[in-house]
Amino acid sequence: MRSIHDNLQAVRERIARAAQAAGRDPGGVTLVAVSKTHPVPALAEARAAGQRAFGENYVQEAVEKMDSLREEENASPLEWHLVGPLQSNKTRVVAARFDWVHSVESEKVARRLSEARLDSQAPLNVLIQVNVSGEASKSGVAPEQVPALAAKIAVLPRLKMRGLMAIPEPGAGVERYRAIKALFDELAPLGVDTLSVGMSDDMDLAIAEGSTMVRVGTAIFGARQKIRPAA
Ligand SMILES: *Cc1c(COP(=O)(O)O)cnc(C)c1O
């Protein structure tokens, strides 16, 4: 098995190739290393290889990792992304500990996040998860509801409305990616800059179709075990 260091290097090269093929600047695509279910030493190895942004799905698991990795923290801090579903009873800890939330689906949750975010912290970066029909995930807001929700989130004081997240179903055609990008472009008047689409299997296509942030787990850390800790 290749090391996490080698895997990260290979993923970075894949991202650069996909961006260049699309005539885009590779620096315009952020890599979030999705580390759910993987232990702290795996994250530490990725960090040693220069990775800064980590994505987690389960709040409790993420907070434990943040606490263990903080002691070794060097000059450049890690950036934590919640990419899994967000339950409304977890908004306080999420607002306190994360830098990004990719899975906002309601005004209620957004409002709670804004209320819980401290004035001493930078605004919490949020993405609306959109479900363009046919997605494998049941999560996400219907496309026609996205513009109104985005406008409401954009005025919340402690949040920064950054864009959209989507999980196209495996094997989805290019038109699905284009529909997501078109919806993202509609939000341009709000100043959004982040389209979080693309995982281990589809990051190349997602980048070709305008993704600015890919969430990659398996290609960096290897396969996950089936058993998952409770959220
Ligand atoms: C697990 C997960 C990923 C990473 O998926 P891989 O196929 O392992 O790259 C990305 N995004 C979300 C929302 C996830 O839950």
Side-chain angles (χ1 to χ4, degrees):
M1 218 184 87
R2 293 200 308 175
S3 69
I4 288 170
H5 183 281
D6 292 346
N7 288 343
L8 257 175
Q9 197 50 41
V11 167
R12 288 178 187 138
E13 282 165 16
R14 239 175 105 182
I15 291 170
R17 267 198 307 276
Q20 276 153 6
R24 298 180 53 198
D25 173 11
V29 182
T30 301
L31 171 60
V32 177
V34 178
S35 45
K36 61 174 181 244
T37 79
H38 295 288
V40 167
L43 281 77
E45 192 179 338
R47 177 175 65 180
Q51 182 61 29
R52 286 287 163 269
F54 289 89
E56 290 279 341
N57 290 52
Y58 311 104
V59 174
Q60 188 55 40
E61 178 190 342
V63 166
E64 285 165 18
K65 288 174 179 173
M66 291 171 192
D67 289 343
S68 342
L69 286 160
R70 190 150 58 170
E71 287 152 30
E72 307 158 36
E73 196 79 72
N74 49 24
S76 137
L78 301 182
E79 184 178 278
W80 293 94
H81 294 240
L82 182 69
V83 302
L86 169 55
Q87 293 150 359
S88 54
N89 63 347
K90 294 269 166 57
T91 46
R92 189 155 293 278
V93 58
V94 168
R97 302 299 302 267
F98 282 84
D99 301 293
W100 286 75
V101 177
H102 290 226
S103 49
V104 171
E105 296 184 48
S106 73
E107 187 188 2
K108 183 179 104 176
V109 162
R111 209 169 271 289
R112 285 191 184 196
L113 288 170
S114 181
E115 284 162 5
R117 188 75 168 177
L118 300 176
D119 283 339
S120 58
Q121 294 177 289
L124 179 64
N125 298 295
V126 303
L127 303 174
I128 295 173
Q129 185 173 350
V130 58
N131 193 330
V132 173
S133 73
E135 291 192 5
S137 168
K138 296 282 176 287
S139 305
V141 177
E144 59 273 19
Q145 292 168 3
V146 165
L149 178 58
K152 284 175 180 153
I153 293 174
V155 299
L156 293 174
R158 305 299 308 148
L159 304 186
K160 189 154 173 49
M161 176 65 219
R162 298 295 295 263
L164 298 180
M165 184 271 253
I167 310 173
E169 79 278 16
V174 68
E175 64 286 352
R176 191 90 77 222
Y177 293 80
R178 289 186 181 158
I180 296 162
K181 174 66 160 64
L183 190 57
F184 174 67
D185 288 342
E186 271 185 50
L187 305 181
L190 297 176
V192 299
D193 59 5
T194 304
L195 182 56
S196 168
V197 184
M199 316 200 301
S200 293
D201 287 339
D202 70 339
M203 64 177 121
D204 319 82
L205 175 56
I207 291 167
E209 297 304 328
S211 169
T212 71
M213 187 175 272
V214 291
R215 309 174 310 272
V216 179
T218 308
I220 297 171
F221 296 107
R224 288 179 290 274
Q225 290 177 347
K226 290 280 186 290
I227 302 152
R228 289 172 175 183

